[in-house]
Structures are given as C-alpha cells and as structure tokens.
Amino acid sequence: MSVEPPSSGRPTGPPSGPLSGPSQPPSGPPSQPPPSGGGAQPPGPGPRRPWWRSGPRLAVLATVVVAAVVVAVVLSRGDGGTVRRGEIFLQAADRTGPDPFTESTAQDSSAPPATPSPNTGTAPSNEVRGVTGSAPGLYGGSRDVAACDVEKQVDYLRAAPEKNKAFASVARVEASAVPVHLRSLTPVQLRLDTRVTNHGYVDGAATSYQAVLQAGTAVLVDDRGVPRVRCACGNPLTPPVPQEGTPEQTGDSWPSYRASNVVVVVPATTVINVFVIYDDEDDGWIARERGDEGDKDRPTDRPAKPSPSVSVSTPTSPSTPTSPETSEPEPPSQPTTTEPESPGSTAPPPPDEDTTTTSQSAPTESAPPSPAL
C-alpha cells in the first residue's frame, strides 16, 4: 500500500503549544509594556464617576430640603389634617380631641360658663383678655369631688415611658419627676372659654397647637393658677402664643362661644395656697387647698366679685410667660365701673382688685349681694 506524501501546505505533526480551543482576540486594549528604565510615565486620568451613581444622592438631598420646608410651614395634627400657623383649634369640654397623651381622667365637666366682668365688647382678635390666676370664681368644681383623677393620670404615663418622657419635656421637669409634678397641681373646671397652647402626642414626640378650651373643661392648674393639663386627653398645656391678624378657627363649636369672651390666664404674682371656686350643684362657694383633690374642701363665703375681671392688652411678640412680673397685664388706670350700691344694680365691680390679687384665701366677711350667675 502506497502512502501519499503530504502536500507542502499541510502540517506533518501534532500542533505545537498547549492544547486549547480556537484563540479569541483580546477583549480589552493591548497591555502596555512596562516602563523602561529611562523613567516612569505619568499615570493617565482616572475614570469619571458615571452620572447615574450620583443621582440617588441628589434625590435624597432634594427630599430633605422639601421635608424641612413642609415642617416649617405646618404643625402636625393627628386627626388626619394639619393645624397651620394662624389657626386656633376649638375644643369642647366633653371631647377627647386630637393626639391624646392618655385616656380621659376627667371626673367632672359640668361647670356652667361664667361671664367675665367688665365686658369690653368685641375686642380685636389679636388682643389678649387677661384674667389673673388667683381671681376668686375663675374656676369651678364640686365639693369633695376632684375634677380629674390625678393618680390615674400618673398611672397612665408611668405605663408609657415614651409618652411620659414627651410629657416631661413640655412640663420642663425630669421624666422621673412627672408624678410629683402632677400631684402638685390642683383639679378644677374652667368657667371661661380659655386660650392655651395644647400639646398632642405623635410618633414619640409632643406637638403643639393653639386651642380654646370650652368652659366646663376639667384641668389641672399650677400654684399660680395657670392650666397645665387637660384631663380629657392627658395633654400638657402651656400659656398661649399671641398671633397677629385674625386666626382661622377650626375644630368644635358650642352655642355660647364668642371670640370676644375668650380669656388668657395670667400667672398670679405669688403662690396660691387656697383656690376659691364656684360649686354649681349647690350654688355655693368652696375653698380648695393647693394640690388637694377635694378631700379638704370646705365651704366659704361668696366673694365680693364672683365674676372674674379682665384687662385687655395687645401682644407685641409671641412669648411664653415665665415670669409673672413681666407677663401679667397692667390693670386699667381708672376703673370703668364702680361698686354696685344696691342689690338691684347690674354694674360690674372694678377690675383692679382681682388683677392685683396674688394669693387666694377664703373671705372672712360676708360680701354684699350681687347678681346671680
């Protein structure tokens, strides 16, 4: 058998080099030879960061800016809406209201509204009608009955440490001192529609909004007569912030509400040891000791001026009164009315005595007859 010789163009043996598949062209640029000993070459510019990698950072920054603007414009309210600056939220005595700190601890909300004296008519919405916290008859209540269950309020907050901490931040006390703070307050009922700064609880923190509390609302007041807790919701209260212009009124409403009759409680100049409050059930007057829940209540004589007198002033800037000497309105230089000379007279008494009272005490003399409340 003859063997045909291979053609000149055909390999005569196995391929040289490693066994592998067909070679592929390199996927990248050819590698550069190492620098010669004559000197190193400067490195080229690094790769630029793709635009899409910085996009999320820009989006996050934009979100933060927008959120900051929204927070600066509105105040949070937990009933699905917002309380804007310039709003006043009306709160009825028997309603819990938005964003409660606790369940209701109110035990009595039956005090009828009183008419402040003298009535200056319709006052501009940005004027403040101040009533001194020590004025007899400013508050009401039932003998031997506390308007609020203070111990229940203590228990509610003790069982919710985060709420207790938020409450303490508004009250400006240590969280551990909240029980002592609450027990130092006196449970009474408002007898006048009263402006306050109310504080709700949302997402672990206290919010704030301007509110008017209806007469009859159960509250805890401090030793200067200023409301500090609304018992229907456990919310801490602070003095109101003056507002310019005509604020928008939202929330509840009641037939006797008149913006011109809303008052602001001004701190008494000294500590109040005894509150003289009106008992509507017995049409009588009660002397209630500071911090007492009614156990030491005793009857007392009708005060000479059973309707709290008011003085009107115009706020110049928002503030939270912390010093009675600077926050108490000046009494009128001349009384607008005189003391009634007969039982049939309806002229209200001068306001200067109530506005200068610094500490209530039970009257020791019988007062002259005065019109029925």
Side-chain angles (χ1 to χ4, degrees):
M1 181 177 63
S2 63
V3 178
E4 185 175 342
S7 62
S8 61
R10 184 178 299 175
T12 60
S16 61
L19 297 177
S20 62
S23 61
Q24 298 291 335
S27 58
S31 59
Q32 299 295 328
S36 62
Q41 298 294 327
R48 295 184 178 179
R49 182 182 297 273
W51 63 268
W52 48 269
R53 295 187 63 183
S54 60
R57 296 183 180 180
L58 294 176
V60 171
L61 179 60
T63 301
V64 172
V65 171
V66 171
V69 173
V70 171
V71 170
V73 172
V74 301
L75 296 175
S76 172
R77 192 177 75 193
D79 58 353
T82 56
V83 177
R84 297 188 300 272
R85 295 186 185 276
E87 279 189 358
I88 295 180
F89 190 74
L90 307 184
Q91 294 191 275
D94 59 349
R95 302 283 185 88
T96 299
D99 310 328
F101 263 74
T102 68
E103 295 182 26
S104 176
T105 62
Q107 300 187 129
D108 197 354
S109 298
S110 59
T115 301
S117 174
N119 191 335
T120 59
T122 302
S125 59
N126 64 332
E127 287 191 346
V128 174
R129 295 166 56 84
V131 180
T132 305
S134 59
L138 175 60
Y139 297 114
S142 300
R143 185 177 176 183
D144 302 328
V145 177
C148 309
D149 189 330
V150 176
E151 291 306 313
K152 184 180 290 186
Q153 184 72 49
V154 170
D155 291 341
Y156 280 148
L157 292 176
R158 180 181 288 139
E162 291 301 318
K163 290 184 177 181
N164 186 78
K165 182 178 179 181
F167 186 100
S169 68
V170 177
R172 296 186 178 183
V173 298
E174 296 293 333
S176 60
V178 168
V180 175
H181 169 70
L182 290 172
R183 292 177 181 129
S184 72
L185 305 177
T186 307
V188 293
Q189 300 165 10
L190 300 177
R191 295 187 67 224
L192 300 173
D193 294 344
T194 305
R195 268 278 306 276
V196 297
T197 298
N198 201 341
H199 298 266
Y201 181 80
V202 178
D203 297 333
T207 63
S208 65
Y209 56 93
Q210 298 305 295
V212 172
L213 308 184
Q214 182 188 13
T217 298
V219 295
L220 298 176
V221 299
D222 65 14
D223 58 5
R224 304 301 177 104
V226 178
R228 292 300 180 183
V229 179
R230 183 175 185 265
C231 301
C233 53
N235 290 2
L237 307 174
T238 55
V241 177
Q243 295 179 321
E244 297 181 357
T246 302
E248 179 183 356
Q249 296 177 355
T250 62
D252 306 321
S253 184
W254 47 91
S256 62
Y257 174 75
R258 301 290 184 274
S260 59
N261 285 337
V262 174
V263 302
V264 172
V265 178
V266 180
T269 55
T270 60
V271 170
I272 302 170
N273 292 315
V274 178
F275 291 86
V276 177
I277 62 179
Y278 176 63
D279 185 353
D280 175 60
E281 293 183 0
D282 297 334
D283 189 24
W285 293 85
I286 301 169
R288 177 168 294 176
E289 294 185 12
R290 170 172 51 91
D292 184 62
E293 296 187 49
D295 298 335
K296 300 178 181 179
D297 284 355
R298 61 182 184 273
T300 187
D301 294 330
R302 182 188 185 93
K305 299 175 179 60
S307 295
S309 299
V310 301
S311 58
V312 179
S313 62
T314 303
T316 56
S317 61
S319 61
T320 300
T322 57
S323 173
E325 289 77 14
T326 58
S327 60
E328 186 169 2
E330 293 293 332
S333 56
Q334 293 184 350
T336 56
T337 57
T338 57
E339 190 77 32
E341 298 180 356
S342 63
S345 173
T346 58
D352 55 345
E353 293 187 17
D354 280 346
T355 55
T356 56
T357 301
T358 57
S359 179
Q360 286 191 14
S361 60
T364 56
E365 298 181 359
S366 298
S370 57
L373 293 175

